[in-house]
């Protein structure tokens, strides 16, 4: 028995003084109303309504239940109205997960504009480099830099992350300049723990040919900023996204090596659980990020 539906039947019978009128109001049959009332009385083990050919009257138990059941139905209605409003108006806490470097360098400058546009949305940003389970860990949205997206979630592409392979001038002076990917096997390399390539770096060479090389780690870190600091100090050859080390290359602190070879670009994805019943706060954030990446970054769609 659907007890909430049974309470709805019971309250309508009492309010309208008739099984038939209650059935009309609920768009069902009098027999169905009668069945629900009988099942409710059987469940509670007490008679709720005295029935005669002329009128209905409540028992003592019925009177006690009527006020409480009516209150419960009103609370349910108010709760549903709140949920409907939340789905239409962007408001409430929005939990977002993003990689640490990307969240700090690229996303953080965007948040003030979003907050000014949607003051009723409270941003809760968690910068974690590992891949989180957005449903299990309670996130509304996750930003991932990945060549693949989880088949369990919806992915919306925001842009592309282009990686640079670099070393400091001091390291190159001491160890020489790698010219082709195979040279990297003889160099100290600085890696990213969560990188999809692990210890095998892949490149697209002249003419589009694909080459890969297994590298030797001098240092591996679960955060790109740590690897960057080691590279700047002359610790080895690093690959990192342009948004992390592009400024260092422009300033001459790092030098791009093997300019004829490129690592394949990686998509920047917004990941969320489902398209169905997407809340307004998630919907406006997705649109905001798409517009921000296309209209406000120095290289639209590419990082």
């Amino acid at each position: 028995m659907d007890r909430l539906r049974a309470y709805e039947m019971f309250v309508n019978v009492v309010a309208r003084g008739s099984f038939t009128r209650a059935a009309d109001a609920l768009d069902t049959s009098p027999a169905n109303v009668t069945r629900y009332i009988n099942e409710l009385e059987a469940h509670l083990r007490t008679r709720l309504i005295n029935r005669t050919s002329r009128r209905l009257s409540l028992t003592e138990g019925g009177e006690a239940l009527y006020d409480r059941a009516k209150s419960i139905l009103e609370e349910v209605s108010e709760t549903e109205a709140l949920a409907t409003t939340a789905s239409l108006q962007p408001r409430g806490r929005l939990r977002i997960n993003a990689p640490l470097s990307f969240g700090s360098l690229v996303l953080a400058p965007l948040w003030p504009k979003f907050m000014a546009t949607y003051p009723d949305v409270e941003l809760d940003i968690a910068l974690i480099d590992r891949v989180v389970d957005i449903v299990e860990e309670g996130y509304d949205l996750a930003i991932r830099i990945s060549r693949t997206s989880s088949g369990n979630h919806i992915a919306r592409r925001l842009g592309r992350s282009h990686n640079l392979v670099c070393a400091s001038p001091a390291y190159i002076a001491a160890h020489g300049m790698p010219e082709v990917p195979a040279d990297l096997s003889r160099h100290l390399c600085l890696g990213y723990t969560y990188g999809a390539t692990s210890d095998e770096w892949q490149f697209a060479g002249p003419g589009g040919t694909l080459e890969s090389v297994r590298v030797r780690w001098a240092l591996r870190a679960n955060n790109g900023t740590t690897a960057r600091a080691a590279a700047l100090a002359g610790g080895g050859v690093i690959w990192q996204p342009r948004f992390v080390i592009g400024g260092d290359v422009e300033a001459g602190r790092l030098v791009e090596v093997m300019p004829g070879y490129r690592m394949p670009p990686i998509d920047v994805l917004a990941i969320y659980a489902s398209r169905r019943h997407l809340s307004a706060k998630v919907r406006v954030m997705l649109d905001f990020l798409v517009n921000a990446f296309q209209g406000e970054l120095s290289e639209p769609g590419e990082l």
Side-chain angles (χ1 to χ4, degrees):
M1 177 187 64
D2 182 341
R3 274 188 280 176
L4 190 61
R5 181 64 167 166
Y7 289 156
E8 186 179 30
M9 298 278 191
F10 170 68
V11 167
N12 270 273
V13 167
V14 176
R16 300 174 191 283
S18 165
F19 280 67
T20 300
R21 286 193 289 271
D24 289 341
L26 297 172
D27 194 24
T28 188
S29 66
N32 196 36
V33 174
T34 300
R35 178 176 65 83
Y36 266 99
I37 299 302
N38 289 341
E39 289 180 356
L40 183 60
E41 290 179 331
H43 173 74
L44 297 174
R45 298 180 181 179
T46 186
R47 179 175 287 277
L48 301 172
I49 301 174
N50 290 316
R51 307 153 175 92
T52 68
S53 58
R54 291 188 175 184
R55 61 188 296 270
L56 304 177
S57 63
L58 288 175
T59 65
E60 182 179 354
E63 289 179 354
L65 181 64
Y66 175 72
D67 289 337
R68 185 63 184 138
K70 185 179 179 182
S71 176
I72 289 171
L73 292 172
E74 289 172 350
E75 289 179 9
V76 168
S77 179
E78 290 174 1
T79 301
E80 289 176 343
L82 286 174
T84 300
T85 300
S87 69
L88 296 175
Q89 300 295 329
R91 60 162 48 93
R93 185 169 67 152
L94 179 61
R95 296 197 69 212
I96 299 176
N97 164 257
L100 180 55
S101 296
F102 188 79
S104 300
L105 298 172
V106 179
L107 295 177
L110 302 179
W111 299 142
K113 182 176 180 180
F114 180 88
M115 292 186 292
T117 307
Y118 301 101
D120 292 331
V121 177
E122 173 194 344
L123 293 181
D124 185 348
I125 312 295
L127 302 183
I128 305 171
D129 280 334
R130 68 175 174 82
V131 176
V132 303
D133 185 321
I134 60 175
V135 174
E136 186 71 22
E137 299 184 45
Y139 291 101
D140 299 294
L141 188 71
I143 308 300
R144 292 181 185 164
I145 302 175
S146 174
R147 291 193 178 94
T148 60
S149 61
S150 170
N152 297 325
H153 304 306
I154 308 301
R156 186 167 178 180
R157 183 174 174 272
L158 301 176
R160 308 200 87 179
S161 170
H162 288 262
N163 299 310
L164 303 176
V165 183
C166 301
S168 71
Y171 177 86
I172 292 171
H175 299 274
M177 170 74 83
E179 302 289 344
V180 295
D183 293 344
L184 292 175
S185 63
R186 299 185 293 275
H187 282 266
L188 302 174
C189 293
L190 310 172
Y192 178 55
T193 305
Y194 298 121
T197 57
S198 185
D199 58 351
E200 186 172 336
W201 293 9
Q202 297 179 338
F203 298 88
T209 58
L210 295 179
E211 297 186 31
S212 62
V213 58
R214 190 168 294 276
V215 300
R216 177 167 59 96
W217 298 120
L219 175 146
R220 181 163 23 187
N222 66 355
N223 171 249
T225 304
T226 299
R228 169 183 173 269
L232 291 171
V237 180
I238 186 176
W239 76 261
Q240 278 292 306
R242 181 182 294 158
F243 64 80
V244 175
I245 60 175
D248 298 316
V249 174
E250 292 176 4
R253 293 185 293 268
L254 294 175
V255 176
E256 191 172 2
V257 303
M258 305 182 307
Y261 294 84
R262 299 288 181 186
M263 283 191 157
I266 303 177
D267 287 335
V268 179
L269 304 172
I271 306 293
Y272 52 102
S274 174
R275 288 191 181 93
R276 295 188 61 202
H277 308 305
L278 190 64
S279 68
K281 61 186 178 181
V282 174
R283 186 169 57 253
V284 296
M285 175 57 76
L286 287 169
D287 292 341
F288 172 82
L289 290 174
V290 168
N291 291 333
F293 275 56
Q294 291 179 349
E296 296 183 9
L297 298 177
S298 58
E299 296 181 71
E302 299 185 0
L303 301 170

